[in-house]
């Protein structure tokens, strides 16, 4: 990594939701700021700015991360996926997003993008995650509207539908 000066902006190149992007950022610029203000990817929400609430969760090289704790320069050369990247195609919800809609797993929706990104990573890594494991993964997310019951119903439904789709693909 080149030596960075604190007051100059430097190029940051990474893949965002499957497409290469280039932006400029000061070394102290957070990934949340680059995503929201520099690239217009406003699905990543900023809540506590301390990594506690989970609203800013994205995937960096396939792993969930709190974007409010990551400097933009740290993702140079990496792949970043935000909630906008969950859509299988433009205008079509993913199985996970659809389950949240169906079960009213969101109310104000502020925490939802981070929760969706965490669950997406969990279900890719552990397709058969049980309820306790799902609850454990979601324990780092704060939601003030739903009481978590609809979120859990949506998560369990999405897990089951994703597994059913995998079984159907295997037998096709």
């Amino acid at each position: 990594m080149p030596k960075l000066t604190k007051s100059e902006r430097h190029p940051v190149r990474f893949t965002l939701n499957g497409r290469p992007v280039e932006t400029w950022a000061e070394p102290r610029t957070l990934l949340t700021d680059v995503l929201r203000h520099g690239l217009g990817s406003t699905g990543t929400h900023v809540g506590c700015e301390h990594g506690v609430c989970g609203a800013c969760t994205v995937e960096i090289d396939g792993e969930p991360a709190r974007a409010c704790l990551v400097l933009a320069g740290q993702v140079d050369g990496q792949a970043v996926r935000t909630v906008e990247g969950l859509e299988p195609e433009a205008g079509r919800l993913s199985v996970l997003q659809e389950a949240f809609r169906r079960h009213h797993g969101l109310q104000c929706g502020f925490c939802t993008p981070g929760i969706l990104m965490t669950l997406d990573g969990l279900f890719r890594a552990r397709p058969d995650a049980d309820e306790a494991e799902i609850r454990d993964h979601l324990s780092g997310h704060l939601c003030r509207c739903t009481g978590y019951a609809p979120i859990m119903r949506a998560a369990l439904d999405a897990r089951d539908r994703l597994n059913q789709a995998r079984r159907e693909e295997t037998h096709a």
Side-chain angles (χ1 to χ4, degrees):
M1 175 180 253
K3 182 174 169 125
L4 303 177
T5 58
K6 65 181 179 180
S7 59
E8 289 182 44
R9 293 174 11 138
H10 302 275
V12 180
R13 296 172 190 91
F14 59 98
T15 303
L16 177 60
N17 298 325
R19 63 179 174 76
V21 295
E22 179 177 347
T23 190
W24 291 79
E26 293 177 359
R28 65 178 171 237
T29 303
L30 296 173
L31 179 57
T32 50
D33 294 326
V34 164
L35 291 172
R36 292 183 58 80
H37 307 295
L39 299 170
S41 201
T42 57
T44 301
H45 293 166
V46 180
C48 68
E49 296 186 271
H50 295 285
V52 175
C53 74
C56 67
T57 303
V58 298
E59 291 176 3
I60 301 173
D61 284 345
E63 295 295 323
R66 305 298 169 119
C68 74
L69 299 179
V70 176
L71 296 172
Q74 291 178 281
V75 300
D76 194 54
Q78 297 186 339
V80 175
R81 188 167 174 233
T82 66
V83 70
E84 290 93 343
L86 291 180
E87 283 185 330
E89 60 189 52
R92 196 173 122 228
L93 297 177
S94 70
V95 170
L96 190 52
Q97 291 167 313
E98 180 59 32
F100 267 67
R101 186 200 59 76
R102 186 172 36 262
H103 292 280
H104 308 288
L106 59 107
Q107 286 182 16
C108 81
F110 195 81
C111 65
T112 307
I115 290 172
L116 290 171
M117 296 308 296
T118 295
L119 288 172
D120 180 70
L122 172 62
F123 293 152
R124 279 186 292 105
R126 298 260 311 120
D128 292 321
D130 64 17
E131 186 173 342
E133 191 170 359
I134 293 168
R135 285 184 186 281
D136 184 55
H137 273 74
L138 293 181
S139 67
H141 290 273
L142 300 178
C143 175
R144 296 185 173 145
C145 297
T146 67
Y148 295 94
I151 292 172
M152 283 306 301
R153 283 194 298 271
L156 293 167
D157 181 34
R159 178 204 59 195
D160 294 345
R161 288 174 186 263
L162 289 166
N163 285 332
Q164 179 63 34
R166 284 186 192 100
R167 284 190 293 275
E168 289 171 3
E169 284 177 8
T170 305
H171 289 67

